[in-house]
């Protein structure tokens, strides 16, 4: 396993827990495993050898023992994690080539160790399905989308993942992330107001008011629930959003509901078989050509009906935002609990298995595009395939959606920000035909190139004239010239090209050739 870079590991853990002291080999060094060693391990010679792990956590190891341990290693560790590392320990580690990471003194070691293992297993580019089990990614995406600080806890209020914090984080958030219990008066106050009871009882968002006297900022919270025996909803955790100085997004409550759905799925996958869900959705959309696809098996695993009418939305997210796939998944889950999301490079696909009206999908897509433009300054293009009849038809629908997105990437102006397969069919077919012709110079009449080289004005006039189906008045209006000028130019064009534009085959050939030349 190639592991995660040290830099990405530290970025995931956040400055709330760790801070980099020195990194003599840079931050791109891979980290794939971690181990704990304590004072007795070092003193008795029982410490885990460096070759068996990349990062080491020094639990209560005295400074002199730690320096001696580092000096005895044939291969230095990638990084050592220590609370309040001394300058002498830092110097010894740097000399050996190891990075030094300072752990917040208040952090519980078991919390740090568990979080690191979680990040290494489920947070990184090495696994193409990592987003399917990445609670840290979900927390950060939600935080960026609604402008708050997010933490995700299990049913016992243990923090599983969190977004980056800033100076506006209050004491309750900071201590929770460090693995310490919040101040008793904070927890007592939250309990007295019935907040925990409300989170366990249902899936509504709970508003927690600011308490300046306790140092508590305003919060939103929602319970995470999973289906238990007999489809009974079982409480499995909580998503908390602490508001900073900036107001939360207008649709924060809606986005939080979507996040709760995704968090429940991710927690279930982590407890079972990570990444199976994303792989199944990709198979259903034909994104895994090397996998044998049995739609009935996929339907069973995803708990989706084989028949019925659905919709597929394809999004082109190239060069827009680093976590746009997660953000779109949030929005999709808020729109429909049964929404399925898969990604492939810069494309994100939202599969909606049971849709009765394309109008509601179009409205959601446009609303999402508007919200992401407002909140994240991101401009997106989406293509809607509706109706899609039966799960087996989604792979073909995804191929058609890609054709439209490919065409839009070549000619952004030709296709609207939101379009359907039916609306884009003529534009896409023509674009694909012209693109194919353009790849073979033999298919373009050489007289077209000669005309462009000789007189660009005449070439432009010919294209406008052909697009107007020979309507001189319409062509003159488009060119902003007198109709007689168009007639004169057309006669010159026919003379130069030595042909008659009355011939429909000639008009078709020239029209395609002119489109190739301007692409």
């Amino acid at each position: 396993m190639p592991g995660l870079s040290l830099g990405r590991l530290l970025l995931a853990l956040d400055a709330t827990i760790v801070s980099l002291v020195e990194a003599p080999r840079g931050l791109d060094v891979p980290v794939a495993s971690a181990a704990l060693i304590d004072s007795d391990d070092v003193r008795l010679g029982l410490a885990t050898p460096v070759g068996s792990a990349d990062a080491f956590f020094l639990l209560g190891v005295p400074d002199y023992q730690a320096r001696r341990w580092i000096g005895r290693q044939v291969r230095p560790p990638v990084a050592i994690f220590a609370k309040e590392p001394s300058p002498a320990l830092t110097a010894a580690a740097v000399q050996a080539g190891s990075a030094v990471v300072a752990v917040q003194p208040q952090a519980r070691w078991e919390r740090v160790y568990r979080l690191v293992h979680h990040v290494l297993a489920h947070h990184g580019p090495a696994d193409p399905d990592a987003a399917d089990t990445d609670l840290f990614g979900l927390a950060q995406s939600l935080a960026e989308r609604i402008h708050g600080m997010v933490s995700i806890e299990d049913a016992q209020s243990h923090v599983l993942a969190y977004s980056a914090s800033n100076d506006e984080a209050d004491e309750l958030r900071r201590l929770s992330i460090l693995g310490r219990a919040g101040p008793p008066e904070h927890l007592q106050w939250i309990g007295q107001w019935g907040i925990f009871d409300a989170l366990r009882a249902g899936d509504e968002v709970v508003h927690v008011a600011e308490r300046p006297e306790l140092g508590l900022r305003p919060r939103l919270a929602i319970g995470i629930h999973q289906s238990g025996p007999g489809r009974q909803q079982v409480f499995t955790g909580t998503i908390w959003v602490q508001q900073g100085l900036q107001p939360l997004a207008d649709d924060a409550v809606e986005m939080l509901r979507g996040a709760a759905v995704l968090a429940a799925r991710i927690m279930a996958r982590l407890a079972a078989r990570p990444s199976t869900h994303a792989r199944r959705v990709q198979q259903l959309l034909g994104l895994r050509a090397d996998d044998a696809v049995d739609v009935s098996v996929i339907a069973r695993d995803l708990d989706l009906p084989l028949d019925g009418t659905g919709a597929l939305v394809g999004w082109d997210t190239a060069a827009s935002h680093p976590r746009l796939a997660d953000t779109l998944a949030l929005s999709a889950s808020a729109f429909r609990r049964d929404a399925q999301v898969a990604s492939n490079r810069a494309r994100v696909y939202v599969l909606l298995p049971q849709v009765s009206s394309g109008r509601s999908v179009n409205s959601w897509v446009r609303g999402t595009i508007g919200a992401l433009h407002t909140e994240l300054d991101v401009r997106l293009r989406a293509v809607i395939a509706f109706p899609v009849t039966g799960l087996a038809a989604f792979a073909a629908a995804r191929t058609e959606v890609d054709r439209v997105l490919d065409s839009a990437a070549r000619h952004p102006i030709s296709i609207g920000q939101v379009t359907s397969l039916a609306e884009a069919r003529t534009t896409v077919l023509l674009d694909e035909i012209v693109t194919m012709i353009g790849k073979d110079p033999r298919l373009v009449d050489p007289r077209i190139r000669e005309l462009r080289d000789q007189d660009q004005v005449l070439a432009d006039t010919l294209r406008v004239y052909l697009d107007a189906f020979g309507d001189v008045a319409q062509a003159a209006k488009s060119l902003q010239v007198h109709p007689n000028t168009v007639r004169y130019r057309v006669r010159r064009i026919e003379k130069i090209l030595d042909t008659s534009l009355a011939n429909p085959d000639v008009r078709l050939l020239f029209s395609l050739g002119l489109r190739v030349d301007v692409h």
Side-chain angles (χ1 to χ4, degrees):
M1 184 172 68
L4 195 69
S5 73
L6 176 61
R8 286 181 59 84
L9 174 60
L10 299 182
L11 187 64
L13 293 175
D14 190 51
T16 304
I17 284 187
V18 298
S19 59
L20 178 67
V21 180
E22 293 283 353
R25 289 189 282 166
L27 296 176
D28 292 329
V29 184
V31 178
S33 57
L36 291 165
I37 59 174
D38 60 25
S39 179
D40 288 340
D41 292 334
V42 176
R43 181 173 57 84
L44 299 175
L46 301 175
T48 305
V50 167
S52 63
D54 296 319
F56 285 82
F57 299 84
L58 307 184
L59 280 68
V61 180
D63 194 81
Y64 73 93
Q65 286 187 347
R67 285 187 279 120
R68 184 183 306 166
W69 173 77
I70 291 174
R72 289 174 177 172
Q73 305 305 318
V74 176
R75 183 177 73 86
V78 171
I80 60 169
F81 289 68
K83 293 185 177 181
E84 300 179 315
S86 68
L89 174 59
T90 300
V94 169
Q95 184 177 4
S98 299
V100 179
V101 180
V103 178
Q104 288 289 339
Q106 289 180 298
R108 299 181 66 91
W109 275 115
E110 65 269 22
R111 168 62 54 81
V112 181
Y113 187 63
R114 183 162 60 90
L115 283 173
V116 167
H117 270 282
H118 176 84
V119 173
L120 292 178
H122 306 294
H123 188 91
D127 181 1
D129 298 321
D132 189 42
T133 53
D134 185 5
L135 282 174
F136 277 89
L138 174 61
Q140 188 62 36
S141 295
L142 180 61
E144 293 172 355
R145 174 64 176 78
I146 65 175
H147 315 309
M149 287 171 278
V150 177
S151 58
I152 302 175
E153 300 179 352
D154 62 16
Q156 290 73 44
S157 297
H158 297 146
V159 176
L160 301 175
Y162 49 89
S163 66
S165 299
N166 56 36
D167 294 339
E168 300 163 17
D170 62 21
E171 190 71 358
L172 180 59
R173 172 180 170 82
R174 194 177 69 84
L175 292 178
S176 297
I177 291 175
L178 291 173
R180 301 292 180 179
E185 61 271 22
H186 291 183
L187 301 180
Q188 181 180 8
W189 175 76
I190 292 176
Q192 286 176 346
W193 278 79
I195 294 172
F196 288 133
D197 292 338
L199 293 172
R200 288 178 170 83
D203 56 3
E204 290 302 311
V205 175
V206 177
H207 295 255
V208 183
E210 182 176 17
R211 290 297 298 268
E213 72 277 13
L214 297 178
L216 285 177
R217 298 285 299 162
R219 278 172 165 74
L220 295 180
I222 188 170
I224 303 170
H225 296 83
Q226 297 178 19
S227 296
R231 293 190 175 275
Q232 180 182 3
Q233 293 297 299
V234 179
F235 174 75
T236 56
T238 307
I239 301 178
W240 294 90
V241 180
Q242 185 215 305
Q243 179 180 326
L245 298 179
Q246 180 182 8
L248 298 178
D250 292 340
D251 57 355
V253 169
E254 184 181 359
M255 291 301 100
L256 198 52
R257 291 195 184 103
V261 174
L262 291 180
R265 289 180 183 173
I266 291 174
M267 292 167 70
R269 292 166 208 154
L270 288 173
R273 294 181 298 167
S275 301
T276 298
H277 188 278
R279 186 174 293 109
R280 286 304 197 202
V281 178
Q282 289 179 334
Q283 288 174 332
L284 188 58
L285 296 179
L287 295 172
R288 289 180 171 268
D290 55 332
D291 290 353
V293 177
D294 186 330
V295 177
S296 61
V297 173
I298 295 175
R300 181 198 64 202
D301 290 349
L302 297 180
D303 193 23
L304 298 176
L306 270 171
D307 302 319
T309 299
L312 179 69
V313 184
W315 309 76
D316 196 330
T317 65
S320 293
H321 195 274
R323 292 195 175 278
L324 199 52
D326 295 336
T327 305
L328 287 173
L330 278 172
S331 181
S333 297
F335 173 58
R336 290 286 300 267
R337 294 182 66 89
D338 57 355
Q340 310 295 320
V341 183
S343 58
N344 184 38
R345 298 183 178 87
R347 301 273 167 85
V348 177
Y349 308 92
V350 176
L351 187 158
L352 303 167
Q354 298 234 315
V355 177
S356 58
S357 169
R359 183 177 301 175
S360 63
V361 177
N362 191 289
S363 177
W364 167 69
V365 170
R366 292 185 182 278
T368 299
I369 287 177
L372 292 180
H373 184 208
T374 300
E375 302 297 343
L376 301 179
D377 194 25
V378 168
R379 298 180 183 274
L380 293 179
R381 175 174 279 105
V383 177
I384 302 171
F386 175 84
V388 181
T389 306
L391 284 187
F394 273 97
R398 194 270 309 165
T399 300
E400 294 302 306
V401 165
D402 276 346
R403 289 176 63 190
V404 180
L405 290 175
D406 289 342
S407 180
R410 290 191 290 266
H411 314 294
I413 299 178
S414 302
I415 295 177
Q417 197 172 23
V418 179
T419 189
S420 67
L421 294 184
E423 292 169 338
R425 182 169 290 114
T426 299
T427 302
V428 171
L429 286 173
L430 180 58
D431 170 60
E432 291 178 342
I433 291 169
V434 171
T435 299
M436 292 178 63
I437 293 173
K439 292 179 180 179
D440 189 346
R442 298 175 303 170
L443 298 180
V444 178
D445 194 310
R447 291 175 292 181
I448 293 298
R449 301 191 187 279
E450 293 171 4
L451 180 64
R452 284 174 53 86
D453 292 340
Q454 182 174 337
D455 193 326
Q456 182 64 49
V457 173
L458 291 181
D460 293 340
T461 298
L462 177 57
R463 175 163 183 178
V464 172
Y465 175 77
L466 293 174
D467 286 348
F469 301 101
D471 187 327
V472 172
Q474 182 62 40
K477 184 177 180 180
S478 299
L479 292 168
Q480 296 183 328
V481 297
H482 194 277
N484 287 340
T485 302
V486 175
R487 294 187 182 94
Y488 170 73
R489 290 178 183 176
V490 169
R491 288 195 296 271
R492 283 193 60 198
I493 291 169
E494 289 180 322
K495 184 176 182 180
I496 292 172
L497 300 183
D498 191 25
T499 189
S500 172
L501 295 179
N503 186 325
D505 292 341
V506 170
R507 292 199 301 270
L508 175 61
L509 184 63
F510 285 178
S511 181
L512 291 174
L514 286 164
R515 291 178 182 276
V516 169
D517 277 350
V518 298
H519 279 59

